[in-house]
Amino acid sequence: MAITAALVKELRDSTGAGMMDAKKALTETDGDMEAAVDWLRTKGLAKAAKKSGRTAAEGLVAVAVKDGKGIAVEVNSETDFVGKNADFQKMVAGIADVALSVDDVDALKAADMGGKTVEQTVTDAVAVIGENMSVRRMAALTGETVVTYVHNAAAPGMGKIGVLVAMKGGDEALGKQVAMHIAAVNPAALSEADMDASVVEKEKQVQMDIARESGKPEAVIEKMIVGRMKKFVAESTLLNQSFVVNPDVTVGQAASDAGAEITGFARLEVGEGIEVEKEDFAAEVAKAAQGG
């Protein structure tokens, strides 16, 4: 695979590695971006381990709660301009209302919304607004108390990031603080038991490779890994993260002190994980010149 300047720049931006190191990492991994990030980390050349996809899609995430059930729905559009359109916002609010009576995104698309399915409603809006749109994701949560939070609100109950928090005990104020923490920190899971085993195993392998690069004996490495993985889990799980409102305690401890138990959460961010292929400028000009 050809290692383009755009690929090198993307890797540099996401890891903070130098240009030559980024190029070497991509060469060694045949242009595989995730593998290149791991290669840089193993060599101690990456400042960050973030591999999140570029947020390329636009639109809104809407949240709603009724009778102990909370939902968050992502509706995408091509441009941010449409996200500010009153008709689009009205449609998204209507979709969120319908979402309260279903459990997943497929059921939502097929559900009735004013005599038409949600999917047909969106299709009709595409014809009117002139831009491609889709209902992409939905999260649903039930609990004794479900609190919602929207970051970068474009209208009431909708914005760029939507968060749901389910709790036993506690109050709305605590739930809102926890939801704001989730919006900012983006935990991978509620607790260690909820973490994806493959993600944990991959991180462990990366940490083992990093430790071996230091030349330390295997017995020492094993002890190092225990500490590093404990830190990884603490940083990745909501209940073990330092609470942004009071970094002296974990989120779990803060909830416990307030007589509450956090039982679940969901976080949807507009365009998360969607990538749009971009041609480099020279190729774009050449293509246009050829009439392609």
Side-chain angles (χ1 to χ4, degrees), residues 188-203:
L190 178 65
S191 66
E192 183 173 3
D194 302 302
M195 288 192 75
D196 184 331
S198 65
V199 170
V200 175
E201 184 55 35
K202 184 176 180 183
E203 179 65 20

Side-chain angles (χ1 to χ4, degrees), residues 58-62 73-95 113 122 125-126 128-129 131-135 154-155 158-160 270:
E58 296 295 342
L60 292 169
V61 172
V73 179
E74 178 185 1
V75 184
N76 291 140
S77 61
E78 287 182 53
T79 64
D80 185 48
F81 180 74
V82 168
K84 296 169 183 171
N85 178 297
D87 290 335
F88 179 74
Q89 291 176 358
K90 184 179 177 183
M91 180 184 75
V92 172
I95 292 171
M113 184 174 167
V122 173
V126 170
V128 174
I129 295 175
E131 208 174 279
N132 192 27
M133 289 176 256
S134 67
V135 178
M158 62 186 79
K160 291 297 182 183
V270 170

Side-chain angles (χ1 to χ4, degrees), residues 153-177:
M158 62 186 79
K160 291 297 182 183
I161 298 174
V163 178
L164 308 171
V165 179
M167 302 187 306
K168 285 180 185 173
D171 57 20
E172 185 96 8
L174 172 69
K176 195 71 77 177
Q177 287 182 333

Side-chain angles (χ1 to χ4, degrees), residues 12 17 25 30 38 55 60 65 80 136 142 145 164 198 208 212 219 242 251 255 265 267 282:
R12 286 185 67 197
D30 197 28
D38 288 341
T55 303
L60 292 169
V65 177
D80 185 48
R136 181 182 175 221
T142 57
T145 303
L164 308 171
S198 65
M208 292 281 278
R212 285 186 181 121
S242 293
V251 174
F265 77 91
R267 179 189 186 276

